[in-house]
């Protein structure tokens, strides 16, 4: 009987100690939860209450997944994640002021959704980011405009007009784009009525920089009388006496005719037709009469778009002796 009583007393004492330990532990945990935050800050429980009130969610419908403290840009924050009615919530709360710094919601398709619509969630309020300094953009240097030339044909018209010569009466021997005293000029040589003309014309403004004239113009040719047909010879019956021998008349030597050139304009037409280029699209850089391997030829250089063309054309027959097309880098 005494042993039984002793055992009951011991068992009662042990039970009392266990209950006391549990109570003390619960009280300590409650004290940690409410006092773990620094002075002047909210604790985790208060942070939970703030996010639930912000989300408009009842505490009994919530399942918290994560509650932890962190530092963001030097500020201590609570990062809280929880689920309610098939919606996942993520919050960041300032641990010092209780201000909601971030609020994000996402529907979780794997979780059952409540029949009632979820309470509207205010848009996420991001923390003010630091505005990066806008780098200074260097000024783009101005690119000088490419000069616009008047073109070889316009230069020829200016020279012919100044010389008082019709284009049909002129035979151009040389026409090219060149540089003279720092200026880009067109140099033109042409003949008309035994007179040689030389011109230098500013390739941009069209101003005549030099003009020269040599030779005397041809006198107008006298009108040619119509040729009177010769009277046909009447056959003479020779007399019986011996007919004297007819003296042999010396034959005058044949003077070779002066070669007739097709002209620089005809040579340009041949080159453009061979290249398949319209005259309006071509810009001639050089066009002159020259001699190559004993032949008199027209040498032509012109540009179309990004291509450069070179031609050598027989000055008498108009035959193309050489042609070349090259991309101009």
């Amino acid at each position: 009987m005494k042993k039984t009583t002793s055992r009951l007393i011991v068992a009662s004492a042990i039970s009392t100690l266990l209950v006391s330990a549990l109570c003390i532990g619960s009280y300590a945990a409650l004290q940690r939860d409410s006092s773990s935050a620094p002075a002047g800050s909210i604790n985790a429980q208060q942070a939970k209450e703030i996010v639930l009130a912000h989300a408009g969610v009842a505490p009994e419908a919530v399942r918290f997944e994560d509650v932890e403290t962190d530092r963001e840009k030097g500020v201590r924050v609570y990062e809280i994640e929880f689920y309610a009615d098939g919606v996942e919530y993520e919050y960041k709360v300032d641990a010092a002021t209780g201000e909601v710094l971030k609020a994000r919601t996402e529907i979780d398709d794997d979780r059952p959704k409540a029949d009632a619509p979820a309470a509207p969630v205010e848009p996420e309020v991001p923390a003010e980011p630091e505005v990066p300094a806008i780098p200074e953009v260097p000024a783009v240097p101005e690119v000088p405009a490419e000069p616009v030339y008047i073109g070889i044909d316009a230069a020829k018209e200016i020279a012919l007009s100044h010389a008082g010569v019709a284009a049909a009466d002129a035979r151009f021997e040389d026409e090219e784009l060149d540089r003279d005293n720092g200026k880009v000029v067109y140099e033109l040589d042409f003949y008309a009525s035994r007179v040689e003309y030389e011109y230098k014309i500013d390739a941009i403004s069209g101003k005549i920089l030099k003009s020269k004239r040599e030779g005397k113009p041809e006198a107008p040719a006298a009108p040619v009388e119509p040729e009177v047909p010769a009277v046909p010879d009447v056959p003479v019956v020779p007399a019986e006496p011996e007919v004297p021998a007819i003296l042999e008349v010396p034959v005058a030597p044949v003077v070779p005719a002066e070669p007739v050139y097709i002209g620089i304009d005809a040579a340009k037409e041949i080159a453009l037709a061979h290249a398949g280029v319209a005259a309006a699209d071509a810009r001639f850089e050089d066009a002159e009469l020259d001699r190559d391997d004993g032949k008199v030829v027209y040498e032509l250089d012109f540009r179309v778009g990004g291509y450069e063309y070179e031609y050598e054309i027989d000055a008498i027959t108009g035959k193309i002796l050489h042609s070349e097309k090259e991309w101009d880098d």
Side-chain angles (χ1 to χ4, degrees):
M1 185 66 178
K2 289 182 179 180
K3 290 182 179 180
T4 301
T5 303
S6 299
R7 288 176 183 173
L8 289 174
I9 293 172
V10 171
S12 178
I14 292 171
S15 298
T16 302
L17 290 173
L18 289 173
V19 171
S20 299
L22 288 173
C23 291
I24 293 170
S26 299
Y27 180 80
L30 182 61
Q31 288 298 316
R32 277 198 308 273
D33 188 53
S34 60
S35 61
S36 58
S41 301
I42 65 172
N43 57 35
Q45 183 60 36
Q46 291 172 323
K48 288 181 182 181
E49 294 172 357
I50 290 170
V51 299
L52 292 178
H54 185 275
V57 179
E60 57 269 19
V62 172
R63 193 188 77 195
F64 283 94
E65 296 290 335
D66 189 14
V67 179
E68 61 180 4
T69 58
D70 198 358
R71 283 200 172 271
E72 187 169 290
K73 294 182 180 179
V75 177
R76 183 170 171 267
V77 297
Y78 284 103
E79 294 183 349
I80 303 173
E81 294 179 14
F82 61 94
Y83 289 91
D85 295 329
V87 180
E88 179 184 1
Y89 295 79
E90 290 183 13
Y91 275 81
K92 287 185 180 180
V93 179
D94 190 311
T97 64
E99 180 186 1
V100 175
L101 303 177
K102 175 183 177 182
R104 188 179 74 85
T105 61
E106 182 178 354
I107 296 175
D108 189 354
D109 294 332
D110 296 331
R111 294 178 178 273
K113 300 176 179 58
D115 295 334
V121 179
E122 293 184 9
E124 177 181 348
V125 181
E128 293 185 3
E130 295 181 2
V131 180
I134 301 175
E136 184 177 351
V137 180
V140 179
E142 293 185 2
V143 179
E146 184 178 354
V148 179
Y149 301 142
I150 62 174
I152 195 75
D153 292 331
K156 289 168 67 175
E157 291 178 4
I158 293 170
L160 291 171
S161 176
H162 183 269
V165 175
D169 299 333
R171 189 184 75 193
F172 280 86
E173 301 295 339
D174 190 13
E175 49 185 81
E176 62 180 338
L177 189 68
D178 202 354
R179 188 175 289 276
D180 186 27
N181 294 329
K183 290 185 176 181
V184 181
V185 299
Y186 288 108
E187 295 185 349
L188 307 174
D189 293 348
F190 59 94
Y191 289 87
S193 300
R194 293 186 179 179
V195 177
E196 180 183 4
Y197 298 85
E198 294 182 8
Y199 278 84
K200 285 186 180 179
I201 297 176
D202 191 297
I204 298 175
S205 67
K207 181 180 179 181
I208 297 174
L209 304 177
K210 174 186 175 183
S211 64
K212 182 179 179 183
R213 172 178 170 177
E214 290 184 357
K216 294 182 179 180
E218 291 180 341
V224 179
E225 296 182 4
E227 183 178 350
V228 179
V231 179
D233 293 337
V234 179
V236 179
V237 178
E240 288 184 1
E242 186 176 326
V243 180
I246 299 173
L247 296 175
E248 184 177 352
V249 180
V251 179
V254 178
V255 178
E258 184 178 353
V260 179
Y261 302 143
I262 62 174
I264 196 75
D265 292 329
K268 289 165 71 175
E269 290 177 3
I270 292 169
L272 291 172
H274 181 269
V277 174
D281 299 332
R283 191 182 77 190
F284 279 86
E285 304 290 345
D286 191 11
E288 60 181 344
L289 190 69
D290 202 354
R291 188 176 293 275
D292 186 23
D293 293 335
K295 289 185 178 181
V296 180
V297 298
Y298 289 107
E299 293 184 347
L300 307 174
D301 292 349
F302 58 93
R303 297 175 186 272
V304 179
Y307 289 96
E308 180 180 4
Y309 296 80
E310 295 182 4
Y311 277 83
E312 282 188 5
I313 297 176
D314 192 300
I316 298 174
T317 65
K319 181 181 179 181
I320 297 174
L321 305 176
H322 171 77
S323 66
E324 183 176 337
K325 175 181 178 183
E326 183 176 299
W327 178 257
D328 185 7
D329 295 333

